[in-house]
Amino acid sequence: MFKVLKEDIEVIFDQDPAARSYIEVILTYSGLHAIWSHRLAHGLFKRKLYFLARAISQISRFFTGIEIHPGARIGRRFFIDHGMGVVIGETCEIGDNVSVFQGVTLGGTGKEKGKRHPTIKDNVLIATGAKVLGSITIGENSKIGAGSVVLKEVPPNSTVVGIPGKVVIRDGVRIKDLDHTDLPDPTADRFKEMEREIAALKSKLEELKKERIK
């Protein structure tokens, strides 16, 4: 247990260049508080002490702004950066070395029963405001871009962006750290393509008008 708690602290130093000291991290990082509260609540949940587990999770939510259902299974070295608004559902399964940013939702679609929340494999990064919904799997080493809405399975070693989320990189190797300010946007690309087609049609129409005048 103490090894896991130590790893929860050390991953913050690995992921956050703003972390300066152990005292600062332990006392001021709401993501760490939420994870530790969840580990306690999850232990009670497994012992079928559901009310007490839920009470702890709601108290944690009040103080941290992060809601993790006590039934969710979370692996080692889980990192929540600026965690306000993070929501993790009951049947969510999260592997090792996973990082999520503020506003991320790992939720259900409201139509499923049983396993209704996503499975996040090892070494996944989910950027600010992304929503991963339903009983789907996000493969190892994948990146989910900021603001994306993911409703379908994501293969390993992929980068996903857009609404709905689309795989834009999949090369079978570990992807370099995602630049949240410079993401490919399939929707914007499509609009640009349509603008080019409209411009070409306007040009053709002008040519036809000139020919008619002659």
Side-chain angles (χ1 to χ4, degrees):
M1 181 184 70
F2 289 105
K3 182 180 180 181
V4 172
L5 297 180
K6 184 179 179 182
E7 287 178 341
D8 291 336
I9 297 172
E10 290 176 344
V11 72
I12 294 174
F13 286 99
D14 292 338
Q15 299 288 336
D16 187 359
R20 294 181 177 83
S21 68
Y22 280 93
I23 293 296
E24 177 187 22
V25 168
I26 291 171
L27 294 181
T28 67
Y29 274 64
S30 59
L32 180 65
H33 302 158
I35 292 167
W36 281 355
S37 296
H38 172 73
R39 298 205 188 282
L40 174 59
H42 184 65
L44 295 170
F45 188 87
K46 290 194 297 184
R47 290 168 175 78
K48 299 184 178 181
L49 299 172
Y50 300 125
F51 175 78
L52 186 56
R54 190 69 172 176
I56 290 172
S57 73
Q58 291 302 298
I59 292 170
S60 174
R61 177 194 179 201
F62 178 81
F63 284 106
T64 66
I66 299 167
E67 182 171 353
I68 308 176
H69 193 284
R73 292 192 286 177
I74 297 177
R76 296 164 63 178
R77 297 177 295 278
F78 181 53
F79 176 56
I80 302 175
D81 192 18
H82 300 289
M84 180 63 69
V86 169
V87 177
I88 300 175
E90 178 183 6
T91 60
C92 189
E93 299 177 28
I94 299 175
D96 297 334
N97 301 306
V98 172
S99 297
V100 302
F101 289 75
Q102 66 269 27
V104 166
T105 299
L106 305 178
T109 63
K111 300 177 182 179
E112 299 150 316
K113 295 182 179 180
K115 179 71 169 73
R116 59 193 183 278
H117 300 107
T119 296
I120 312 298
K121 295 292 188 177
D122 297 345
N123 307 311
V124 170
L125 182 147
I126 306 176
T128 303
K131 314 300 178 188
V132 183
L133 306 176
S135 182
I136 60 175
T137 298
I138 308 300
E140 294 88 348
N141 308 317
S142 291
K143 308 286 190 291
I144 308 299
S148 300
V149 178
V150 184
L151 303 172
K152 295 182 179 180
E153 302 276 331
V154 174
N157 306 305
S158 299
T159 297
V160 175
V161 299
I163 303 174
K166 297 181 180 179
V167 176
V168 293
I169 298 176
R170 183 188 177 191
D171 56 15
V173 298
R174 180 72 182 266
I175 298 170
K176 294 181 180 179
D177 288 342
L178 190 63
D179 184 354
H180 299 183
T181 64
D182 186 22
L183 292 173
D185 188 340
T187 303
D189 292 343
R190 181 56 181 159
F191 276 121
K192 289 178 182 178
E193 183 181 342
M194 292 173 64
E195 288 176 355
R196 289 192 293 267
E197 291 176 355
I198 292 170
L201 289 171
K202 285 182 177 179
S203 177
K204 185 65 175 178
L205 184 60
E206 290 297 324
E207 290 178 6
L208 292 172
K209 286 180 179 179
K210 290 177 181 179
E211 289 178 2
R212 178 174 292 183
I213 292 174
K214 291 178 181 179

